């Protein structure tokens, strides 16, 4: 492993200054569950590692039913599913947080780091996209915001510019009769990288019978996680019954460009998209009826 310097930033401004001054060789460190492995294996290099876990904004988890969820970028996964209201109101994100690695990983790994790592198979990203999450970013030129579905650029590459730091993720408040879910397929527990992952979110009318709004997002079937816009739109105005879900699954397949690898062939992944879209929607609808 190549030697690197370490600094722990105490504020967003300090982290941005350190990251910007050190150029392309500086990297933020949250839980380190990706980064330490990558530095050790030499798949990533860093001259300077900037620990961001001492920055209050990045460790803050704020939830208010009227304003929504603001999730500091370095908050570890377990904080999400151990928070009863967040677990109920953003159940799809809690689904994802709960299956990222095991307990030890979840006590370190952050949703922000999962997003910044930009793996096409990252479990939290389809859930974030389904909930219309927005990234709040700080950098040398000030602050900016970006929807999560635009954040990933390529496998392992995101849209952060030099010196920029992901500060928080914001998920809008949940309306009545809304529900979300995330499911992934893995061949067996020892191979816990999603072969396909699907996040879904629906809002129903007051009777719980009709879909008024929907969002479907896909993971592990393209170079970046995808928002399946046409599939999402196809559900609006439809009855919230399982007969209407296969069409959304078929439309979701049209935007995927899955590869074949040792975890599954492209054809297999294509088939799984349909299966998981239907199942995820069914769970989201059930949760929406209970909300
Ligand atoms: C045994 C094991 C099992 C795993 N299982 C799963 C799984 O089932 N599903 C899954 O999706 N993932 C899995 N992972 C990966 C998962 O742990 C990571 O993706 C994790 O969520 C990353 O968060 P972190 O806080 O550890 O990030 P880090 O490793 O600290 O950082 C990851 C990357 O993001 C950058 N970064 C972090 N925070 C910021 C920030 N605020 N601003 C800018 N850049 C930032 C870092 O520079 C680095 O490039 C597993 C990992 C291990 C080791």
């Amino acid at each position: 492993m190549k030697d690197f310097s370490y600094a722990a930033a105490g504020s967003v401004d300090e982290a941005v200054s350190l990251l910007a001054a050190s150029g392309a060789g500086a990297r933020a460190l949250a839980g380190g569950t990706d980064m330490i492995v990558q530095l050790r294996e030499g798949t990533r290099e860093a001259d300077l590692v900037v620990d961001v876990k001492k920055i209050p904004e990045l460790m803050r988890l704020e939830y208010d039913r009227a304003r929504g969820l603001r999730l500091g970028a370095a908050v570890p996964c377990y904080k999400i599913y151990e928070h009863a209201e967040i677990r109920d109101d953003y159940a799809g994100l809690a689904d994802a947080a709960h299956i990222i690695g095991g307990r030890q990983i979840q006590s370190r790994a952050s949703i922000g780091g999962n997003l910044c790592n930009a793996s096409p198979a990252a479990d939290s990203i389809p859930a974030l996209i389904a909930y219309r999450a927005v990234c709040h970013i700080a950098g040398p030129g000030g602050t900016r915001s970006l929807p999560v579905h635009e954040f990933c650029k390529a496998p392992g590459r995101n849209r952060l510019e030099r010196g920029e730091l992901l500060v928080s993720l914001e998920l809008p408040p949940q309306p009545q009769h809304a529900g979300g879910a995330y499911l992934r397929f893995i061949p067996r527990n020892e191979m816990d990288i999603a072969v396909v992952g699907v996040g879904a979110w629906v809002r129903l009318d007051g009777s719980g019978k009709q879909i008024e709004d929907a969002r479907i997002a896909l993971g592990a079937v393209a170079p970046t996680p995808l928002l399946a816009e046409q599939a999402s739109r196809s559900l609006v105005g439809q009855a919230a019954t399982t007969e209407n879900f296969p069409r959304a699954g078929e439309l979701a397949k049209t935007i995927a460009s899955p590869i074949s690898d040792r975890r599954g062939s492209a054809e297999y992944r294509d088939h799984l998209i349909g299966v998981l879209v239907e199942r995820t929607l069914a769970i989201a609808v059930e949760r929406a009826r209970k909300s």
Side-chain angles (χ1 to χ4, degrees):
M1 182 166 71
K2 185 173 164 277
D3 286 351
F4 56 83
S5 306
Y6 169 91
S11 68
V12 170
D13 285 351
E14 192 187 349
V16 167
S17 304
L18 284 164
L19 290 168
S22 309
R27 305 196 73 87
L29 174 83
T33 61
D34 277 323
M35 202 162 66
I36 289 171
V37 178
Q38 291 163 357
L39 292 175
R40 198 189 290 133
E41 290 177 351
T43 52
R44 295 246 192 211
E45 286 194 353
D47 300 318
L48 174 68
V49 163
V50 181
D51 193 337
V52 297
K53 290 188 297 300
K54 292 186 171 29
I55 306 174
E57 290 96 315
L58 273 84
M59 296 304 287
R60 202 173 287 150
L61 181 65
E62 290 172 280
Y63 183 50
D64 178 318
R65 282 213 157 117
R67 276 180 301 194
L69 174 62
R70 194 175 265 256
L71 175 65
V75 171
C77 289
Y78 81 94
K79 294 258 185 195
I80 293 163
Y81 60 77
E82 287 199 348
H83 189 298
E85 284 183 324
I86 296 175
R87 191 179 58 225
D88 286 351
D89 294 353
Y90 300 89
L93 185 64
D95 291 339
H98 216 276
I99 54 173
I100 291 179
R103 280 266 166 179
Q104 289 106 323
I105 294 296
Q106 289 154 17
S107 70
R108 296 288 296 178
S110 60
I111 299 290
N114 196 241
L115 174 61
C116 289
N117 191 55
S119 160
D123 284 308
S124 73
I125 307 179
L128 290 170
I129 294 173
Y131 280 107
R132 294 186 167 84
V134 172
C135 305
H136 295 296
I137 296 162
T143 57
R144 67 184 175 110
S145 301
L146 192 67
V148 167
H149 75 268
E150 292 175 13
F151 184 80
C152 297
K153 193 153 76 175
R157 293 180 59 205
N158 62 44
R159 296 201 182 275
L160 292 179
E161 305 287 344
R162 181 180 289 196
E164 283 191 323
L165 178 74
L166 176 67
V167 176
S168 63
L169 291 156
E170 192 172 353
L171 280 68
Q174 288 306 289
Q176 271 197 306
H177 316 300
Y182 173 76
L183 286 177
R184 72 174 177 194
F185 178 83
I186 49 171
R188 57 179 196 269
N189 281 341
E190 293 73 23
M191 287 178 79
D192 57 2
I193 297 177
V195 178
V196 175
V198 172
W201 177 90
V202 294
R203 178 169 55 79
L204 306 178
D205 68 353
S207 73
K209 289 189 176 147
Q210 186 167 308
I211 299 174
E212 291 194 332
D213 197 3
R215 291 266 283 192
I216 296 171
L218 311 177
V221 294
T224 62
L226 300 173
L227 168 62
E229 292 187 63
Q230 215 193 339
S232 309
R233 271 200 308 273
S234 76
L235 290 159
V236 177
Q238 301 295 315
T241 51
T242 50
E243 296 84 66
N244 285 322
F245 302 161
R247 178 150 179 267
E250 290 305 312
L251 288 169
K253 288 180 193 178
T254 62
I255 59 159
S257 49
I259 54 162
S260 296
D261 64 11
R262 68 199 165 92
R263 284 187 292 276
S265 66
E267 293 75 22
Y268 189 43
R269 285 191 158 96
D270 198 56
H271 171 71
L272 283 169
I273 294 170
V275 174
L276 290 185
V277 165
E278 289 182 44
R279 290 187 188 171
T280 314
L281 280 170
I283 299 169
V285 164
E286 194 185 316
R287 287 174 173 168
R289 286 194 178 124
K290 286 184 186 153
S291 81

